[in-house]
Amino acid sequence: MYELYIGNKNYSSWSLRPWVLMREREIPFVERLLRFGESSQWKDFGKISPSGKVPCLIDGSTAVWDSLAIAEYLAERHAGIWPADAGARAFARCAAAEMHSGFFALRNRCAMSCGIRVRLHDIPPELTADINRLEMLWTDGLQRFGGPFLVGGTFTAVDAFFAPVAFRIQSYGIALAPAAAAYATRVLKLRSMQEWYAAGLAERFRDEPHEQEILQMGTVIQDLRAPPLN
Ligand SMILES: N[C@@H](CCC(=O)N[C@@H](CS)C(=O)NCC(=O)O)C(=O)O
């Protein structure tokens, strides 16, 4: 049985990728959640994962410690992680890689925090450029491959890579063109995403660095999370 180490569901965008992918592809795993800021939990994890970062997939004696590498590792063992058609697969891999190594303004200015709603202090040109590129990329995929997912009829790794963006769009009220907005809503409505969201809302542990990162960029206008413990 695979073990998947993840961070707090409210904050950990990188963790969400393999988690939602495995859930949507019905690949069984044991979830191991580590709370940010709790050094006792992370101390032992550092012995398991070379980077000490989540997500990390453990398969027997093999550790796979990066979300894109996890997708590729799973693709070697399970059908349907990437689309069967070579053209669709190339598109999906490019889009997932683009998310993995780009969209810096979106990632830095709109940190994932599923349970809050934020009004950004400002929207600089680099954020507008990321949003425009996202809209273009999603619209292109949906048109080319016919939807409802980014490269066709089934949820694949590329959708998993953009799943955290769907939460960001919800939290920051980012307006998108109709097809792209509908895709984000569709992803948010998946049962696995709803479960992740509910678990994120129920988390009572707050990680101060994550909270501060958001307050630097905007004003929290709604906090739907369970009351904090710490
Ligand atoms: N490139 C990595 C990035 C992983 C990453 O940055 N994870 C963050 C949490 S979302 C982390 O573990 N932070 C804890 C730390 O840096 O100590 C991936 O794709 O998995």
Side-chain angles (χ1 to χ4, degrees):
M1 178 72 101
Y2 294 118
E3 286 173 85
L4 183 66
Y5 283 84
I6 60 169
N8 306 44
K9 287 183 176 162
N10 181 63
Y11 306 116
S12 191
S13 57
W14 302 92
S15 300
L16 171 58
R17 297 163 165 193
W19 189 95
V20 71
L21 179 61
M22 293 176 86
R23 288 296 304 275
E24 286 300 314
R25 300 312 313 166
E26 298 182 353
I27 300 169
F29 64 95
V30 175
E31 175 186 306
R32 307 245 183 256
L33 193 149
L34 304 174
R35 292 200 304 208
F36 291 114
E38 267 211 338
S39 53
S40 57
Q41 289 195 349
W42 289 78
K43 192 166 58 63
D44 293 336
F45 174 61
K47 295 174 197 150
I48 300 171
S49 165
S51 66
K53 291 190 174 184
V54 287
C56 181
L57 182 76
I58 304 295
D59 182 21
S61 58
T62 303
V64 192
W65 65 88
D66 174 273
S67 56
L68 189 52
I70 294 171
E72 294 298 356
Y73 186 84
L74 293 172
E76 289 172 7
R77 286 159 184 77
H78 304 271
I81 298 292
W82 297 111
D85 175 76
R89 199 160 60 246
F91 182 100
R93 282 197 160 118
C94 287
E98 190 175 336
M99 184 68 238
H100 202 53
S101 62
F103 291 102
F104 294 113
L106 182 63
R107 286 215 304 247
N108 296 337
R109 296 194 157 260
C110 306
M112 190 174 104
S113 181
C114 301
I116 61 170
R117 302 294 177 264
V118 180
R119 188 169 45 240
L120 288 168
H121 296 320
D122 65 332
I123 302 183
E126 59 272 24
L127 180 57
T128 303
D130 272 2
I131 293 167
N132 290 344
R133 172 63 194 139
L134 181 78
E135 198 170 67
M136 193 188 298
L137 179 63
W138 284 3
T139 307
D140 187 15
L142 293 165
Q143 273 173 3
R144 263 191 221 218
F145 305 105
F149 294 105
L150 279 185
V151 289
T154 57
F155 186 99
T156 66
V158 68
D159 300 293
F161 271 67
F162 286 103
V165 175
F167 279 131
R168 290 177 154 112
I169 284 165
Q170 175 169 261
S171 285
Y172 294 85
I174 296 169
L176 294 175
Y183 168 73
T185 304
R186 199 173 302 132
V187 170
L188 288 172
K189 282 189 175 157
L190 293 171
R191 187 190 293 178
S192 58
M193 288 287 280
Q194 292 283 312
E195 281 176 29
W196 177 282
Y197 183 56
L201 290 185
E203 283 174 357
R204 303 185 64 189
F205 180 84
R206 302 285 185 268
D207 182 48
E208 220 27 54
H210 278 95
E211 297 294 317
Q212 288 307 321
E213 191 185 352
I214 289 156
L215 290 176
Q216 275 174 17
M217 299 299 170
T219 305
V220 176
I221 50 176
Q222 207 179 1
D223 191 341
L224 302 165
R225 298 172 294 178
L229 268 183
N230 53 329

